[in-house]
Every structure is written in structure tokens, then in C-alpha cells.
Amino acid sequence: QVQMQESGPGLVKPSETLSLTCSVSGGSVSSGVYYWSWIRQPPGKGLEWIGYIYDDGITKYNPSLKSRVTMSVDTSKNQFSLNLRSVTTADTAVYYCASVGLGEHDFDYWGQGNLVTVSS
Amino acid sequence: QSALTQPASVSGSPGQSITISCTGTSSDVGGYDYVSWYQQHPGKAPKVMIYDVSNRPSGVSIRFSGSKSGNTASLTISGLQAEDEADYYCSSYTTSTTWVFGGGTKLTVL
């Protein structure tokens, strides 16, 4: 069973870059079996899909965030990462990493979430 | 892409049944049978309860069921229990090969 855990700073200043990493165990980020996704949830609000990366570097992003998002995979550490540039207070949220199985369309495994606050 | 539309809240008494709707467009809910439903308790990560409109993952109670008609999907919980009190989110794969979530529904068990 795949397990995931997010890590990264809990506080980011406005206009800077938010960087998070998701460490994966119980599965390989380069196995080609999963789409590795990021999803966020502002405090007290709903979920928003940010995007995914597939093991060979294929990415797909939410059109509303596409201009500021980059995702990458580090196969040597079995991790994948999220960079969100030029953040504002509206980017304050719990950020989850999650997986979608190849040929599937639901998020079956989730990390526990990482709260990132954007504030000066 | 716009968020799918869910009622903000629903409630029911123990033992009763409730239904949560999730309305989208022909580009998401109506385009594929790829609607999933997630249960989220406070401070916890979401958990998939229904996938591909009406399929239950292993370990999910048979009290949870899903359906779809046109651009609207529904989650029904029968025999309500106190532990069902949580937020519920629908999600759909889209014709743009992205995903979109609903705004969430707070279920209160009276």
C-alpha cells in the first residue's frame, strides 16, 4: 500500500515561491503505475486540484494555476515536488499530495496534508 | 474550469437516508462515468468512498452508494450513523484531462 507524506515550510512570504515535497513509500514514483497529484484546501473551504506529474515528467496543471506551477520528480529519493511561484495570501491552504492509479480516475492514496500560510 | 455544485449542508437523523447532489456540465460529470466521492473528517485527509460513479472501494460500507443522471451525480448514505458526520466532496475527471472538485457538503447527523 502506498503511503505519502508532505514536507516543507509552513510559512512563505508574499511574492515568494512555495515549495513542497511528497515522499512516497510502498511504491515507486518511477513505476509508471500512478499519476502523482497535488491538491489544496484553503482553511474552511473546499478542495482544489492543482495538477499531476507522471513518472517520465509528463505534467498537467489546473488552468487557473498553470502559469505559476511547476512539478517535478526525484526518482533517487522517491519523491515528487510542487513549486508555486508568486504566492499571495489566497494561496494559504493545506496542501495534499495524492495518487491516481493508471487507468483510474479517483485519488486513492493521500498524504496527511501540510498547512502553508502566506504572510509577511 | 468551474467547481462542481453541491449543497452546502444536509442533515438527517440516525437510521435515515440522505442524498447529496453534485451538478456539473457535459465537460465533466456528464462527459464520463468518472465521478468519485470523498469523506473528510475535521483535520483529516479525504478518503475515497465511491469511484467511477457507483463503485465502492474495499472496506467502504455498503450503506454508501452512488449514481448519475446526465450532468448530476448523487451520493446516498443509508442507515445514517453518527460516524458519517463529515464533509463530503464530489470530484470528476474532465474532457480536458484535468480534475474538478465540488464545493463540499457538510453532513450533520442530528
CSV table of all heavy atoms in Angstrom, one decimal, chain A residues 23-56:
chain,number,residue,atom,x,y,z
A,23,SER,N,7.1,12.6,-0.1
A,23,SER,CA,7.9,11.4,0.0
A,23,SER,C,6.9,10.2,-0.1
A,23,SER,O,5.9,10.1,0.6
A,23,SER,CB,8.7,11.3,1.3
A,23,SER,OG,9.6,12.4,1.4
A,24,VAL,N,7.3,9.2,-1.0
A,24,VAL,CA,6.4,8.1,-1.2
A,24,VAL,C,7.1,6.8,-0.7
A,24,VAL,O,8.3,6.6,-0.9
A,24,VAL,CB,6.2,8.0,-2.8
A,24,VAL,CG1,5.4,6.7,-3.1
A,24,VAL,CG2,5.5,9.2,-3.3
A,25,SER,N,6.3,6.0,-0.1
A,25,SER,CA,6.8,4.7,0.4
A,25,SER,C,5.7,3.6,0.0
A,25,SER,O,4.6,4.0,-0.2
A,25,SER,CB,7.0,4.6,1.9
A,25,SER,OG,5.8,4.9,2.6
A,26,GLY,N,6.2,2.4,-0.2
A,26,GLY,CA,5.3,1.4,-0.6
A,26,GLY,C,5.0,1.4,-2.1
A,26,GLY,O,4.1,0.6,-2.6
A,27,GLY,N,5.7,2.2,-2.9
A,27,GLY,CA,5.6,2.3,-4.3
A,27,GLY,C,6.7,3.2,-4.9
A,27,GLY,O,7.2,4.0,-4.1
A,28,SER,N,6.9,3.0,-6.1
A,28,SER,CA,8.0,3.8,-6.8
A,28,SER,C,7.4,4.9,-7.6
A,28,SER,O,6.5,4.7,-8.4
A,28,SER,CB,8.9,2.9,-7.6
A,28,SER,OG,9.7,3.7,-8.4
A,29,VAL,N,7.9,6.1,-7.5
A,29,VAL,CA,7.5,7.3,-8.3
A,29,VAL,C,7.8,7.1,-9.8
A,29,VAL,O,7.2,7.7,-10.6
A,29,VAL,CB,8.0,8.6,-7.8
A,29,VAL,CG1,7.6,8.9,-6.4
A,29,VAL,CG2,9.6,8.6,-7.9
A,30,SER,N,8.7,6.1,-10.1
A,30,SER,CA,9.0,5.9,-11.5
A,30,SER,C,8.4,4.6,-12.0
A,30,SER,O,8.8,4.1,-13.0
A,30,SER,CB,10.6,5.8,-11.6
A,30,SER,OG,11.1,4.8,-10.8
A,31,SER,N,7.5,4.0,-11.3
A,31,SER,CA,6.9,2.7,-11.7
A,31,SER,C,6.0,2.8,-12.9
A,31,SER,O,5.7,1.8,-13.5
A,31,SER,CB,6.1,2.1,-10.5
A,31,SER,OG,5.0,3.0,-10.2
A,32,GLY,N,5.5,4.0,-13.2
A,32,GLY,CA,4.6,4.2,-14.3
A,32,GLY,C,3.2,3.7,-13.9
A,32,GLY,O,2.3,3.6,-14.8
A,33,VAL,N,2.9,3.4,-12.6
A,33,VAL,CA,1.6,2.9,-12.2
A,33,VAL,C,0.7,4.0,-11.7
A,33,VAL,O,-0.5,3.8,-11.6
A,33,VAL,CB,1.9,1.8,-11.1
A,33,VAL,CG1,0.6,1.3,-10.5
A,33,VAL,CG2,2.7,0.7,-11.6
A,34,TYR,N,1.3,5.2,-11.3
A,34,TYR,CA,0.5,6.2,-10.7
A,34,TYR,C,0.7,7.6,-11.4
A,34,TYR,O,1.8,7.9,-11.9
A,34,TYR,CB,0.8,6.4,-9.2
A,34,TYR,CG,0.4,5.2,-8.4
A,34,TYR,CD1,1.3,4.3,-7.9
A,34,TYR,CD2,-1.0,5.1,-8.0
A,34,TYR,CE1,0.9,3.2,-7.2
A,34,TYR,CE2,-1.4,4.0,-7.2
A,34,TYR,CZ,-0.5,3.1,-6.8
A,34,TYR,OH,-0.9,2.0,-6.0
A,35,TYR,N,-0.3,8.4,-11.3
A,35,TYR,CA,-0.2,9.8,-11.6
A,35,TYR,C,-0.1,10.5,-10.2
A,35,TYR,O,-0.9,10.3,-9.3
A,35,TYR,CB,-1.4,10.4,-12.3
A,35,TYR,CG,-1.6,9.9,-13.7
A,35,TYR,CD1,-2.2,8.7,-14.0
A,35,TYR,CD2,-1.0,10.6,-14.8
A,35,TYR,CE1,-2.3,8.2,-15.3
A,35,TYR,CE2,-1.2,10.2,-16.1
A,35,TYR,CZ,-1.8,9.0,-16.3
A,35,TYR,OH,-1.9,8.6,-17.6
A,36,TRP,N,1.0,11.3,-10.0
A,36,TRP,CA,1.2,11.9,-8.7
A,36,TRP,C,0.7,13.3,-8.7
A,36,TRP,O,1.1,14.1,-9.4
A,36,TRP,CB,2.7,11.8,-8.4
A,36,TRP,CG,3.3,10.5,-8.5
A,36,TRP,CD1,4.0,9.9,-9.5
A,36,TRP,CD2,3.1,9.4,-7.5
A,36,TRP,NE1,4.4,8.6,-9.3
A,36,TRP,CE2,3.8,8.3,-8.1
A,36,TRP,CE3,2.5,9.3,-6.3
A,36,TRP,CZ2,3.8,7.0,-7.4
A,36,TRP,CZ3,2.5,8.1,-5.6
A,36,TRP,CH2,3.2,7.0,-6.2
A,37,SER,N,-0.2,13.5,-7.8
A,37,SER,CA,-1.0,14.8,-7.8
A,37,SER,C,-0.8,15.6,-6.6
A,37,SER,O,-0.4,15.2,-5.5
A,37,SER,CB,-2.5,14.5,-7.9
A,37,SER,OG,-2.8,13.8,-9.1
A,38,TRP,N,-1.1,16.9,-6.7
A,38,TRP,CA,-1.2,17.9,-5.6
A,38,TRP,C,-2.6,18.5,-5.6
A,38,TRP,O,-3.2,18.8,-6.7
A,38,TRP,CB,-0.2,19.0,-5.8
A,38,TRP,CG,1.2,18.5,-5.5
A,38,TRP,CD1,2.1,18.2,-6.5
A,38,TRP,CD2,1.9,18.4,-4.3
A,38,TRP,NE1,3.3,17.8,-5.9
A,38,TRP,CE2,3.2,17.9,-4.5
A,38,TRP,CE3,1.5,18.6,-2.9
A,38,TRP,CZ2,4.1,17.7,-3.5
A,38,TRP,CZ3,2.4,18.4,-1.9
A,38,TRP,CH2,3.7,17.9,-2.2
A,39,ILE,N,-3.2,18.6,-4.4
A,39,ILE,CA,-4.5,19.1,-4.2
A,39,ILE,C,-4.4,20.0,-3.0
A,39,ILE,O,-3.6,19.7,-2.0
A,39,ILE,CB,-5.5,18.0,-3.9
A,39,ILE,CG1,-5.7,17.1,-5.1
A,39,ILE,CG2,-6.8,18.5,-3.4
A,39,ILE,CD1,-6.3,15.7,-4.9
A,40,ARG,N,-5.1,21.2,-3.0
A,40,ARG,CA,-5.0,22.1,-1.8
A,40,ARG,C,-6.4,22.4,-1.3
A,40,ARG,O,-7.4,22.2,-2.0
A,40,ARG,CB,-4.3,23.3,-2.2
A,40,ARG,CG,-5.0,24.3,-3.2
A,40,ARG,CD,-4.1,25.5,-3.4
A,40,ARG,NE,-4.8,26.5,-4.3
A,40,ARG,CZ,-4.3,27.6,-4.6
A,40,ARG,NH1,-3.1,28.0,-4.2
A,40,ARG,NH2,-4.9,28.5,-5.4
A,41,GLN,N,-6.4,22.9,-0.1
A,41,GLN,CA,-7.7,23.2,0.6
A,41,GLN,C,-7.5,24.4,1.5
A,41,GLN,O,-6.9,24.3,2.6
A,41,GLN,CB,-8.2,22.0,1.4
A,41,GLN,CG,-9.5,22.2,2.1
A,41,GLN,CD,-10.0,21.0,2.8
A,41,GLN,OE1,-9.3,20.2,3.3
A,41,GLN,NE2,-11.3,20.8,2.7
A,42,PRO,N,-7.9,25.6,1.1
A,42,PRO,CA,-7.9,26.8,1.9
A,42,PRO,C,-8.6,26.5,3.2
A,42,PRO,O,-9.6,25.8,3.2
A,42,PRO,CB,-8.5,27.9,1.1
A,42,PRO,CG,-8.4,27.4,-0.3
A,42,PRO,CD,-8.5,25.9,-0.3
A,43,PRO,N,-8.2,27.2,4.3
A,43,PRO,CA,-8.9,26.9,5.6
A,43,PRO,C,-10.4,27.2,5.5
A,43,PRO,O,-10.9,28.2,5.0
A,43,PRO,CB,-8.3,28.0,6.5
A,43,PRO,CG,-6.9,28.2,5.9
A,43,PRO,CD,-7.1,28.1,4.4
A,44,GLY,N,-11.2,26.2,5.9
A,44,GLY,CA,-12.6,26.3,5.9
A,44,GLY,C,-13.3,26.2,4.5
A,44,GLY,O,-14.5,26.4,4.4
A,45,LYS,N,-12.5,25.9,3.5
A,45,LYS,CA,-13.0,25.8,2.1
A,45,LYS,C,-12.9,24.5,1.5
A,45,LYS,O,-12.4,23.5,2.1
A,45,LYS,CB,-12.4,26.9,1.3
A,45,LYS,CG,-12.6,28.3,1.8
A,45,LYS,CD,-12.1,29.4,0.8
A,45,LYS,CE,-12.4,30.8,1.3
A,45,LYS,NZ,-11.9,31.9,0.4
A,46,GLY,N,-13.2,24.4,0.2
A,46,GLY,CA,-13.2,23.1,-0.5
A,46,GLY,C,-11.9,22.8,-1.1
A,46,GLY,O,-10.9,23.5,-1.0
A,47,LEU,N,-11.9,21.6,-1.8
A,47,LEU,CA,-10.7,21.1,-2.4
A,47,LEU,C,-10.4,21.7,-3.8
A,47,LEU,O,-11.4,21.9,-4.5
A,47,LEU,CB,-10.8,19.6,-2.5
A,47,LEU,CG,-10.9,18.8,-1.2
A,47,LEU,CD1,-11.4,17.4,-1.4
A,47,LEU,CD2,-9.7,18.8,-0.3
A,48,GLU,N,-9.2,21.9,-4.1
A,48,GLU,CA,-8.9,22.3,-5.5
A,48,GLU,C,-7.7,21.5,-6.0
A,48,GLU,O,-6.7,21.4,-5.4
A,48,GLU,CB,-8.4,23.8,-5.4
A,48,GLU,CG,-8.1,24.4,-6.8
A,48,GLU,CD,-7.7,25.8,-6.8
A,48,GLU,OE1,-7.1,26.3,-5.8
A,48,GLU,OE2,-7.9,26.5,-7.8
A,49,TRP,N,-7.9,20.9,-7.2
A,49,TRP,CA,-6.9,20.1,-7.8
A,49,TRP,C,-5.9,21.0,-8.4
A,49,TRP,O,-6.2,22.0,-9.2
A,49,TRP,CB,-7.5,19.2,-8.9
A,49,TRP,CG,-6.6,18.4,-9.7
A,49,TRP,CD1,-5.9,17.3,-9.3
A,49,TRP,CD2,-6.1,18.7,-11.0
A,49,TRP,NE1,-5.1,16.8,-10.3
A,49,TRP,CE2,-5.2,17.6,-11.4
A,49,TRP,CE3,-6.4,19.6,-12.0
A,49,TRP,CZ2,-4.6,17.5,-12.6
A,49,TRP,CZ3,-5.7,19.6,-13.2
A,49,TRP,CH2,-4.9,18.5,-13.5
A,50,ILE,N,-4.6,20.8,-8.2
A,50,ILE,CA,-3.5,21.7,-8.6
A,50,ILE,C,-2.9,21.1,-9.9
A,50,ILE,O,-2.6,21.8,-10.9
A,50,ILE,CB,-2.4,21.9,-7.6
A,50,ILE,CG1,-3.0,22.5,-6.3
A,50,ILE,CG2,-1.3,22.7,-8.1
A,50,ILE,CD1,-2.0,22.6,-5.1
A,51,GLY,N,-2.7,19.8,-9.9
A,51,GLY,CA,-2.1,19.2,-11.1
A,51,GLY,C,-1.5,17.8,-10.8
A,51,GLY,O,-1.6,17.3,-9.7
A,52,TYR,N,-0.9,17.2,-11.8
A,52,TYR,CA,-0.2,15.9,-11.6
A,52,TYR,C,1.0,15.8,-12.4
A,52,TYR,O,1.3,16.6,-13.4
A,52,TYR,CB,-1.1,14.7,-12.0
A,52,TYR,CG,-1.4,14.5,-13.4
A,52,TYR,CD1,-0.4,14.0,-14.3
A,52,TYR,CD2,-2.7,14.7,-13.9
A,52,TYR,CE1,-0.7,13.8,-15.6
A,52,TYR,CE2,-3.0,14.5,-15.3
A,52,TYR,CZ,-2.0,14.0,-16.1
A,52,TYR,OH,-2.3,13.8,-17.5
A,53,ILE,N,1.9,14.9,-12.0
A,53,ILE,CA,3.1,14.6,-12.8
A,53,ILE,C,3.2,13.1,-12.9
A,53,ILE,O,2.9,12.3,-12.0
A,53,ILE,CB,4.4,15.1,-12.2
A,53,ILE,CG1,5.6,14.8,-13.1
A,53,ILE,CG2,4.6,14.6,-10.8
A,53,ILE,CD1,6.8,15.7,-12.7
A,54,TYR,N,3.5,12.6,-14.1
A,54,TYR,CA,3.6,11.2,-14.4
A,54,TYR,C,5.1,10.9,-14.4
A,54,TYR,O,6.0,11.8,-14.5
A,54,TYR,CB,3.0,10.8,-15.7
A,54,TYR,CG,2.8,9.4,-16.0
A,54,TYR,CD1,2.2,8.5,-15.1
A,54,TYR,CD2,3.3,8.8,-17.2
A,54,TYR,CE1,2.0,7.2,-15.4
A,54,TYR,CE2,3.2,7.5,-17.5
A,54,TYR,CZ,2.5,6.7,-16.6
A,54,TYR,OH,2.4,5.3,-16.9
A,55,ASP,N,5.5,9.6,-14.2
A,55,ASP,CA,6.9,9.3,-13.9
A,55,ASP,C,7.9,9.8,-14.8
A,55,ASP,O,9.0,10.1,-14.5
A,55,ASP,CB,7.0,7.8,-13.7
A,55,ASP,CG,6.9,7.0,-15.0
A,55,ASP,OD1,6.2,7.4,-15.9
A,55,ASP,OD2,7.6,6.0,-15.1
A,56,ASP,N,7.6,9.9,-16.1
A,56,ASP,CA,8.6,10.3,-17.1
A,56,ASP,C,8.6,11.9,-17.3
A,56,ASP,O,9.1,12.4,-18.2
A,56,ASP,CB,8.4,9.6,-18.4
A,56,ASP,CG,7.0,9.9,-19.0
A,56,ASP,OD1,6.2,10.5,-18.3
A,56,ASP,OD2,6.7,9.4,-20.1
